[in-house]
Amino acid sequence: MAAIVYLDVDDEITSAAARLRTLEDDRIALVLPLGSRLGTSRINFRLLAREAANRKKTLEIVTGDASTRALAASAGLATHTSVAAFEGRPEPGAAGRAMRGAGAGGSGGIAGAAGVAAAVGGGGSGTPGPSSPSRGMDRGVDDSPTVVTPIVTAIPAIRPPRRGQPVPQVGRRQPLRLDSRMVAIALGIVAVLIVVAVAAYQLLPSASVTLAPAVDHIGPIQLSVTAQSGITQPDPTRLLVPARSFSYDLEVSDTFPATGVKVDDVAARGVVTFSSLDTGSSNHIASGAIVGTRSGIDFRTLAPVDLPPAGIGVVDGKFVVIPSTAKVDIEAVVVGPSGNVSAGTIVVVPNGENSKRTAVANSNPTKGGAHTEAKQVVQADIDAALVALNDKLATAFDDKIAAAEGVPQGTTLFVETKILGKATPSVDAKTLLSKIEDTFELGLTAKGTIVGVDPGPVSTLADARIRSSVKEGFDLVEDSIQISVGTPLVTGATITFPVIAKANATRQLDAAALRQRIHGLGLPQARTVLGEFGTVTISVWPNWVTTIPSNDDRLSFTITSSAAPFASPSGSRSPTPTTAPTGAASGSAP
């Protein structure tokens, strides 16, 4: 009996030997894939050969890698390039029968060629087939490709015709004979169709023409109308409207608690041991690699670690892997007592490491992680007080704006333009840090400004710009005018209103003159003439008619209504104004 064992790329010598011990078959084939870790060392094959000999089994190696077969052969093991080569044996006279089959003509010649290929090359080019003995067993490795000789099928001879037998004509066509009656009937049908077509063309052609006047989309025109201090009248040339700035003096104060806390945190430290079970290569772990516990507490290594390849030994007659180890200091990533963990809890290897080949553990607990607090007056107390006082300043400023103190009637205050000046503390904040008190008093003073504008002239300037943009020969569609005033942009004391204005204008058309111009024109020429004035649609009957009828009763000419206005803009919004009440009494204005 024979057994075939397929190994994985990562299988080690220990797993291969263990599988041999579980088999009862006398003949065993180990199939190694390309890149197998087992096939990188001659000592692995020698150990496998000794294991097979001790158990009185015949071990053979199957692999497509020539270098691996060479290593196995040097250890005294038979090798094969494929499983088919391991299972098969040559048949006496097989090659001769294949060559005799190749001599047959027709389809038999093709089958004969396949037979020769099977006899010479076995399983394919470069791979021995089932009938080929393994060359690695007696003379080493042979990776030469299989050569297949093509078989040319003989072309049968052409015999001359016998006496009196007609000679076949190749490539000559017999002349086509037409019946005169069929020709006459066809010519008659064509003549009738021509007469009908001429009559329809003379009597029935009609056309329908629809012209949609050309629409001139004015805009969108983007304008920037600026509200500027120092002018008294709107300026349509420079797009300016008047603006005024109003200011208010503000003062607030309050008492606050001292609640600062000083905090000290220390990171826990310890030592871990790395172990490598990789017998084929060494492993380098850089400094700063992160290890951790299964509960998510992470530690970083404080030095690099180099692990040599693991060793292989025999214990009680069995192969065992002797791991290589190295120790390194670690420190908790998060400071504080959470980094104090028990021995044996750090078991998570760094990212990128194979946990089946690399292990980590702490034989002792980590120590030193601590968190301490001491109460004292700190900057946070003062910062919190300043935040509260600034909020009170903003509220006091909003109250002033709502009252519109000192703002003339009809003026609009734009809250987007309000500016609260820099606040000045009533006490130097640095002197408060040296005091240990339950409460401390602090105040702020500041000046607030806001701009007032009469927004009416903004839209007036945009409407004038639209009307001046209508081209000659077009009429403005009044319902299509749209003016959208956006949120003002504030630069210091200057307010700029972004304005988008757009409208439609339609082409002025003379329907009678255009109708007369296209009489008798071909369809392409008529489309060209009318295309200058808008979008034209022409339909004719019958559909093979190619000209516009000259008779008015055969021509329908329609001019559609003017284009619809622009759609209403979406997402636009007006600035948020606050209008001063009538008779505002107090407040100062520059």
Side-chain angles (χ1 to χ4, degrees):
M1 297 295 290
I4 300 175
V5 178
Y6 292 87
L7 299 181
D8 293 332
V9 174
D10 294 332
D11 279 342
E12 302 282 357
I13 178 64
T14 53
S15 61
R19 297 180 72 173
L20 288 180
R21 290 192 290 269
T22 61
L23 298 175
E24 299 296 336
D25 304 85
D26 296 332
R27 185 179 178 214
I28 301 172
L30 288 183
V31 183
L32 276 62
L34 293 177
S36 172
R37 299 176 61 84
L38 183 61
T40 59
S41 173
R42 183 182 292 107
I43 187 64
N44 290 338
F45 291 112
R46 289 182 179 177
L47 292 172
L48 288 175
R50 187 172 66 182
E51 179 71 18
N54 291 339
R55 298 183 177 274
K56 297 181 181 181
K57 299 180 184 294
T58 300
L59 178 64
E60 302 176 37
I61 303 300
V62 179
T63 179
D65 185 11
S67 60
T68 302
R69 292 199 301 272
L71 290 175
S74 66
L77 296 175
T79 63
H80 305 275
T81 58
S82 66
V83 174
F86 167 74
E87 294 176 338
R89 288 294 180 266
E91 248 179 73
R97 290 196 302 273
M99 292 299 292
R100 288 195 299 273
S107 61
I110 297 174
V116 171
V120 176
S125 177
T127 304
S131 62
S132 300
S134 173
R135 298 179 180 178
M137 295 177 60
D138 48 5
R139 296 190 303 172
V141 180
D142 185 357
D143 292 318
S144 60
T146 301
V147 179
V148 179
T149 304
I151 304 301
V152 180
T153 304
I155 300 175
I158 301 176
R159 299 180 180 180
R162 297 178 180 178
R163 180 176 297 177
Q165 182 179 1
V167 179
Q169 300 295 323
V170 179
R172 178 177 297 178
R173 300 178 60 184
Q174 297 297 325
L176 178 63
R177 298 179 180 178
L178 299 177
D179 192 335
S180 59
R181 288 177 298 176
M182 295 176 61
V183 173
I185 292 173
L187 292 177
I189 293 174
V190 172
V192 171
L193 292 177
I194 292 175
V195 172
V196 172
V198 171
Y201 184 82
Q202 296 270 336
L203 302 175
L204 301 177
S206 63
S208 177
V209 179
T210 302
L211 179 61
V215 177
D216 181 29
H217 297 293
I218 304 174
I221 300 175
Q222 297 184 354
L223 305 175
S224 294
V225 179
T226 303
Q228 181 175 309
S229 300
I231 64 173
T232 58
Q233 296 295 330
D235 186 342
T237 302
R238 296 187 296 164
L239 297 177
L240 298 177
V241 294
R244 287 187 62 185
S245 178
F246 300 87
S247 63
Y248 302 95
D249 293 325
L250 307 169
E251 182 177 1
V252 293
S253 62
D254 207 342
T255 301
F256 304 93
T259 59
V261 177
K262 181 179 180 181
V263 178
D264 289 327
D265 287 313
V266 180
R269 303 188 69 170
V271 177
V272 294
T273 301
F274 282 97
S275 301
S276 174
L277 302 176
D278 190 346
T279 61
S281 61
S282 60
N283 187 12
H284 175 77
I285 302 174
S287 177
I290 302 300
V291 296
T293 66
R294 288 193 175 91
S295 62
I297 301 175
D298 293 334
F299 297 81
R300 65 171 62 88
T301 60
L302 301 180
V305 176
D306 289 295
L307 295 168
I312 299 175
V314 178
V315 178
D316 296 333
K318 296 182 180 180
F319 290 100
V320 295
V321 175
I322 302 174
S324 60
T325 61
K327 293 184 177 182
V328 65
D329 292 335
I330 58 171
E331 182 180 67
V333 174
V334 177
V335 296
S338 61
N340 298 327
V341 299
S342 302
T345 56
I346 303 176
V347 293
V348 179
V349 298
N351 287 338
E353 293 295 327
N354 187 338
S355 60
K356 294 182 179 180
R357 296 181 184 167
T358 304
V360 66
N362 61 316
S363 57
N364 295 309
T366 58
K367 299 178 180 180
H371 173 86
T372 59
E373 296 182 358
K375 192 172 182 179
Q376 65 175 11
V377 176
V378 293
Q379 185 65 40
D381 296 329
I382 300 174
D383 293 340
L386 291 175
V387 169
L389 290 174
N390 276 295
D391 289 342
K392 294 185 69 173
L393 276 177
T395 300
F397 188 21
D398 289 339
D399 292 341
K400 293 283 188 180
I401 294 173
E405 298 177 0
V407 179
Q409 183 178 0
T411 299
T412 299
L413 299 178
F414 291 87
V415 297
E416 295 87 353
T417 67
K418 68 178 182 179
I419 300 175
L420 182 59
K422 184 179 179 181
T424 302
S426 58
V427 179
D428 188 356
K430 294 181 179 180
T431 62
L432 297 176
L433 294 175
S434 60
K435 294 182 179 180
I436 301 177
E437 298 178 350
D438 293 336
T439 61
F440 61 94
E441 187 175 348
L442 186 61
L444 290 179
T445 58
K447 177 175 289 189
T449 60
I450 189 170
V451 175
V453 179
D454 180 3
V458 174
S459 297
T460 302
L461 295 180
D463 183 82
R465 184 63 60 90
I466 281 288
R467 296 183 182 279
S468 65
S469 301
V470 178
K471 297 179 182 177
E472 184 178 357
F474 286 81
D475 293 328
L476 180 66
V477 180
E478 293 290 339
D479 292 342
S480 70
I481 300 175
Q482 292 188 9
I483 298 174
S484 176
V485 181
T487 303
L489 305 176
V490 180
T491 304
T494 302
I495 298 178
T496 301
F497 294 85
V499 182
I500 298 177
K502 55 186 178 180
N504 288 341
T506 57
R507 188 70 178 264
Q508 300 170 353
L509 300 178
D510 185 342
L514 292 177
R515 182 189 186 97
Q516 191 66 29
R517 285 186 62 178
I518 63 173
H519 276 174
L521 296 182
L523 299 185
Q525 187 178 4
R527 289 190 180 93
T528 301
V529 170
L530 297 178
E532 178 184 352
F533 302 95
T535 302
V536 60
T537 302
I538 301 177
S539 60
V540 296
W541 188 92
N543 56 11
W544 43 261
V545 173
T546 60
T547 59
I548 301 295
S550 299
N551 300 330
D552 284 341
D553 59 347
R554 305 300 299 171
L555 173 61
S556 172
F557 190 92
T558 305
I559 296 179
T560 61
S561 59
S562 60
F566 277 104
S568 298
S570 60
S572 62
R573 64 187 181 94
S574 299
T576 305
T578 297
T579 304
T582 303
S586 62
S588 59

